[in-house]
């Protein structure tokens, strides 16, 4: 970002619209981040009358107002109590496209007051957020408005770490993708395939259809009270005697084996797959194998990476990163559809196309 272009680490978030960077404007409350704070210049300010400022404010309710017409102030609160406050600016983004780099001017937030939960400033692994939601201020929407790419975004997160992110539809596979229509009316304008029925080991768990959203900004998957309890009961009912429930500070529900586990693949055979079946498309089901809902902790225990959403005050169910690993997930705003295809999410472009023919 900027000229000359400087690197920043951003959290890939399909659950929010605004991209923002921690910013020396000067900074009131900033976390300790991997790179030097972005330094804006006054001529980069986006005025209050700008269409993207208006869209951002209308999407967040009327509490966002501009004290000065020369700039667009924003305040964003996330479901985990984190927040960012700042002003909108416009600067060039260096983006690799097909055969060359392009440098479009894009609007994003210069965040000078960040709060992470209740603890104030912390050491952070990222410099800011990459907002890829459905709103017009989203980076992929801006690229579409400028005629640079189609309004399509996708990601592929590897269980081994790493993966890839893409804008536009160049690497979308022509087959093997399960597509479902995007629900138009969702809580907070999230990407949603609508309501899904939950199965465990191909048997219905008997819970009513669940409203589901896909959110790459969430590390874990969250179910509301009824499906969460049903999953926990089904899991416990099917476990072998070799696994014993144990307390682990990492997550609420964990088990230990006869010896410490090194990876999920050591223990996945002890667990069964779940499925989410979506009524909005024929034969549309997402398999959630054990490696997409379990983690192994540094203590060598295996834990459930699906959490009870009632604690986070969620009224819907969130499919987070743990469940999206090793599948390409595609958010196609051109055709209002969501898609997924299972495959290894390694880094090279050649392997992308060979994994997803």
């Amino acid at each position: 970002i900027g000229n000359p272009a400087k690197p920043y680490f951003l959290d890939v978030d399909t659950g929010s619209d605004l991209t923002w960077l921690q910013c020396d404007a000067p900074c009131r409350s900033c976390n300790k981040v991997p790179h030097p704070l972005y330094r804006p210049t006054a001529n980069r300010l986006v005025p209050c009358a700008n269409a993207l400022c208006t869209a951002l404010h209308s999407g967040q309710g009327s509490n966002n107002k501009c004290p000065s017409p020369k700039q667009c102030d924003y305040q964003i609160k996330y479901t985990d109590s984190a927040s960012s406050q700042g002003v909108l600016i416009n600067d060039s983004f260096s983006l690799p496209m097909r055969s060359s780099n392009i440098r479009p001017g894009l609007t994003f937030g210069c965040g000078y007051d960040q709060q992470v939960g209740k603890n104030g400033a912390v050491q952070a692994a990222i410099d800011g957020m990459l907002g890829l939601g459905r709103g017009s201020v989203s980076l992929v929407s801006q690229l579409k408005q400028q005629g640079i790419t189609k309004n399509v975004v996708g990601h592929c997160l590897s269980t081994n770490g790493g993966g890839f992110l893409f804008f536009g539809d160049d690497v979308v596979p022509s087959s093997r993708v399960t597509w479902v229509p995007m629900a138009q009316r969702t809580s907070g304008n999230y990407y949603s395939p609508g309501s899904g029925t939950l199965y465990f080991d191909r048997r219905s768990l008997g819970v009513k259809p669940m409203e589901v959203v896909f959110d790459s900004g969430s590390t874990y998957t969250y179910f509301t009270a009824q499906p969460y309890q049903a999953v926990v009961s089904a899991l416990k009912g099917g476990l072998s005697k070799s696994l014993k429930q144990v307390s682990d500070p990492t997550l609420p529900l964990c088990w230990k084996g006869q010896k410490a586990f090194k990876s999920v693949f050591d223990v996945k055979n002890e667990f069964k797959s779940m499925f989410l079946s979506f009524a909005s498309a024929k034969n549309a089901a997402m398999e959630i194998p054990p490696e997409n809902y379990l983690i192994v902790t540094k203590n060598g225990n295996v834990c459930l990476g699906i959490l009870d959403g009632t604690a986070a005050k969620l009224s819907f169910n969130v499919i987070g990163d743990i469940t999206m690993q090793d599948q390409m997930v595609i958010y196609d705003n051109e055709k209002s559809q969501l898609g997924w295809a299972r495959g290894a999410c390694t880094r090279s472009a050649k392997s992308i196309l060979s994994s997803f023919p």
Side-chain angles (χ1 to χ4, degrees), residues 10 43 61 68 79-80 87 103 127 150 162 190 211 287 306 343:
L10 301 179
N43 64 344
S68 160
T79 49
D80 62 358
V87 292
R103 311 214 38 199
D127 299 288
K150 290 191 173 169
Y190 288 104
E211 185 188 349
E287 182 181 0
I306 297 172

Side-chain angles (χ1 to χ4, degrees), residues 225-240:
Q226 195 191 11
Y228 176 76
Q229 293 302 338
V231 163
V232 168
S233 298
L235 274 179
K236 288 181 173 177
L239 286 183
S240 76

Side-chain angles (χ1 to χ4, degrees), residues 1-3 44 90-94 103-106 108:
I1 299 171
N3 192 6
R44 295 279 171 200
N90 189 289
D91 206 344
S92 59
F93 276 59
S94 182
R103 311 214 38 199
L106 298 171
F108 62 101

Side-chain angles (χ1 to χ4, degrees), residues 204-344:
S204 170
L205 284 176
V207 294
K208 62 180 193 233
M210 310 155 45
E211 185 188 349
V212 173
V213 304
F214 285 18
D215 181 4
S216 69
S218 176
T219 303
Y220 296 111
T221 287
Y222 290 83
F223 285 171
T224 51
Q226 195 191 11
Y228 176 76
Q229 293 302 338
V231 163
V232 168
S233 298
L235 274 179
K236 288 181 173 177
L239 286 183
S240 76
K241 299 276 194 296
S242 63
L243 289 171
K244 298 273 186 291
Q245 196 169 324
V246 65
S247 178
D248 188 301
T250 314
L251 285 168
L253 184 58
C254 303
W255 298 270
K256 69 173 183 178
Q258 287 161 334
K259 58 181 185 180
F261 301 116
K262 290 194 175 67
S263 90
V264 169
F265 298 96
D266 291 348
V267 71
K268 65 170 283 186
N269 291 341
E270 299 278 357
F271 293 84
K272 305 287 193 298
S273 282
M274 291 180 220
F275 292 84
L276 263 172
S277 174
F278 297 99
S280 54
K282 195 176 178 186
N283 301 324
M286 174 180 272
E287 182 181 0
I288 308 175
E291 59 269 32
N292 281 38
Y293 66 79
L294 297 171
I295 67 153
V296 164
T297 71
K298 61 185 181 192
N299 302 319
N301 300 317
V302 62
C303 298
L304 178 61
I306 297 172
L307 301 177
D308 186 349
T310 36
K313 298 187 171 69
L314 293 174
S315 59
F316 49 85
N317 301 275
V318 174
I319 299 297
D321 295 335
I322 187 170
T323 300
M324 297 197 270
Q325 290 178 114
D326 281 332
Q327 49 191 348
M328 184 190 279
V329 180
I330 307 148
Y331 309 80
D332 184 342
N333 290 297
E334 299 284 342
K335 297 177 181 170
S336 284
Q337 60 183 10
L338 288 165
W340 55 86
R342 191 160 284 284

Side-chain angles (χ1 to χ4, degrees), residues 120-132:
V122 294
Q123 182 72 47
I126 50 166
D127 299 288
M129 299 292 281
L130 183 65
L132 299 174

